[in-house]
């Protein structure tokens, strides 16, 4: 926590510092858990970053007033009981259990049920179950789409990235954010196509975007929609991943 100065007096806020290999100056944004997120150049000064943060109290206070409180995974799935996987939308049911947490799903009926404990451990258990579901369906779908275009994936890794939906290494390893299952099917697959395009084009030059538009004709629309929904979805599951 750090105290920042505002026109109404000091404000105590949580903060996080991330190093940026490409950044040339300090950048400040509001993180997924309503924390002050500082991106600092690789060799930048932490002292300078905190000094900058302390000077941005009024801006931070304004952003915090606009930001909704973080929603739990259970609240989100109760409000939006859908998950994407294997190219389809699954209807989700949440139930409590006093036994070991588990989930079951059926491709035939496109239904998925998650059972986890009530109380303080529930969010952590649900987060773990959703990660396990994501690990089952994301790799399969990525390889299915790759096969359509004659592409070869070396390995698929499902992770808990803070701000990115996915990445692709020159080695052929594709890393995917487990929260892809929270996206609508068309955006879920758009992210997969985006990373698969990097197997051929390892940058974001025009040739990359042309290839991606070949893979996904709705690329421009999907890219804008993904930007719109990303912030809210990236906030989910943070408490459960601690």
């Amino acid at each position: 926590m750090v105290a920042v100065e505002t026109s109404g007096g000091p404000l105590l806020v949580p903060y996080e510092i991330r190093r940026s290999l490409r950044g040339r100056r300090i950048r400040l944004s509001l993180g997924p858990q309503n924390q002050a997120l500082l991106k600092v150049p690789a060799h930048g000064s932490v002292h300078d970053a905190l000094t900058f943060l302390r000077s941005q109290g009024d801006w931070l206070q304004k952003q915090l007033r606009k930001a909704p409180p973080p929603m739990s995974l259970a609240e989100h799935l109760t409000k939006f009981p859908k998950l994407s996987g294997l190219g389809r939308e699954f209807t989700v049911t949440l139930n409590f259990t006093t036994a070991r947490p588990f989930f079951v799903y059926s491709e035939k009926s496109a239904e998925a049920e998650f059972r986890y404990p009530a109380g303080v451990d529930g969010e952590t258990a649900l987060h773990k179950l959703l990660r396990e579901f994501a690990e089952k369906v994301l790799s399969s779908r990525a390889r299915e789409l790759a096969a359509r275009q004659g592409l070869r994936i070396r390995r698929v890794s499902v992770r808990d990235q803070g701000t990115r939906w996915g990445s692709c290494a020159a080695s052929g390893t594709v890393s995917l954010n487990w929260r892809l299952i929270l996206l609508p099917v068309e955006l879920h697959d758009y992210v997969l196509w985006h990373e698969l395009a990097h197997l051929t084009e390892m940058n974001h030059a025009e040739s990359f975007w042309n290839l991606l538009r070949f893979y996904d004709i709705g690329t421009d629309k999907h890219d804008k929609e993904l930007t719109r929904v990303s912030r809210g979805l990236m906030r989910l599951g943070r408490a459960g991943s601690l």
Side-chain angles (χ1 to χ4, degrees):
M1 303 285 279
V2 65
V4 300
E5 293 299 324
T6 75
S7 55
L11 173 69
L12 199 62
V13 297
Y15 72 93
E16 179 183 352
I17 292 178
R18 295 181 184 172
R19 294 287 181 180
S20 173
L21 296 176
R22 297 180 181 178
R24 295 185 177 182
R25 61 188 179 89
I26 299 168
R27 294 180 180 272
L28 173 63
S29 61
L30 197 63
Q33 285 301 108
N34 289 346
Q35 81 274 32
L37 181 58
L38 287 159
K39 292 187 177 180
V40 182
H43 301 292
S45 164
V46 172
H47 178 270
D48 290 347
L50 291 178
T51 299
F52 174 70
L53 173 59
R54 293 187 181 99
S55 72
Q56 299 299 308
D58 286 334
W59 180 88
L60 264 177
Q61 191 170 58
K62 182 179 178 181
Q63 301 308 309
L64 286 167
R65 285 171 178 166
K66 293 191 299 183
M71 185 182 292
S72 72
L73 286 166
E75 289 170 334
H76 175 81
L77 289 173
T78 298
K79 187 175 182 180
F80 307 103
K82 303 290 182 182
L83 292 175
S84 293
L86 306 174
R88 66 187 66 193
E89 181 179 79
F90 287 83
T91 300
V92 174
T93 302
L94 302 179
N95 286 305
F96 294 133
T97 181
T98 56
R100 184 176 180 179
F102 69 94
F103 69 90
V104 293
Y105 67 95
S106 166
E107 293 185 51
K108 184 176 181 180
S109 65
E111 295 176 329
E113 180 183 10
F114 295 80
R115 292 194 175 229
Y116 58 98
V120 295
D121 295 329
E123 180 75 358
T124 299
L126 180 57
H127 177 272
K128 184 178 180 181
L129 292 176
L130 290 169
R131 284 282 302 268
E132 291 173 359
F133 175 80
E135 287 168 359
K136 283 183 173 292
V137 300
L138 288 179
S139 178
S140 177
R141 183 60 172 172
R143 293 184 185 281
E144 176 189 344
L145 295 183
R148 291 185 188 180
Q149 299 298 334
L151 301 170
R152 182 178 177 275
I153 300 174
R154 178 174 171 270
R155 187 169 71 91
V156 177
S157 169
V158 177
R159 300 169 56 196
D160 190 18
Q161 296 96 321
T163 57
R164 303 177 70 177
W165 286 107
S167 61
C168 179
S171 64
T173 295
V174 173
S175 296
L176 301 172
N177 191 317
W178 73 265
R179 293 173 186 79
L180 281 170
I181 62 175
L182 302 175
L183 289 170
V185 173
E186 63 274 14
L187 297 185
H188 171 286
D189 280 358
Y190 165 69
V191 174
L192 296 183
W193 283 125
H194 184 112
E195 301 312 329
L196 293 175
H198 279 311
L199 293 172
T200 304
E201 299 284 346
M202 285 303 297
N203 54 42
H204 287 104
E206 187 61 29
S207 55
F208 165 83
W209 290 104
N210 288 338
L211 179 61
L212 182 53
R213 291 182 185 106
F214 173 75
Y215 290 160
D216 179 2
I217 195 172
T219 284
D220 297 305
K221 173 186 174 182
H222 294 156
D223 193 63
K224 290 178 182 178
E225 182 64 12
L226 185 65
T227 299
R228 187 184 70 81
V229 303
S230 285
R231 177 174 168 77
L233 293 180
M234 286 294 182
R235 292 157 58 91
L236 294 170
R238 295 297 169 193
S241 63
L242 295 178

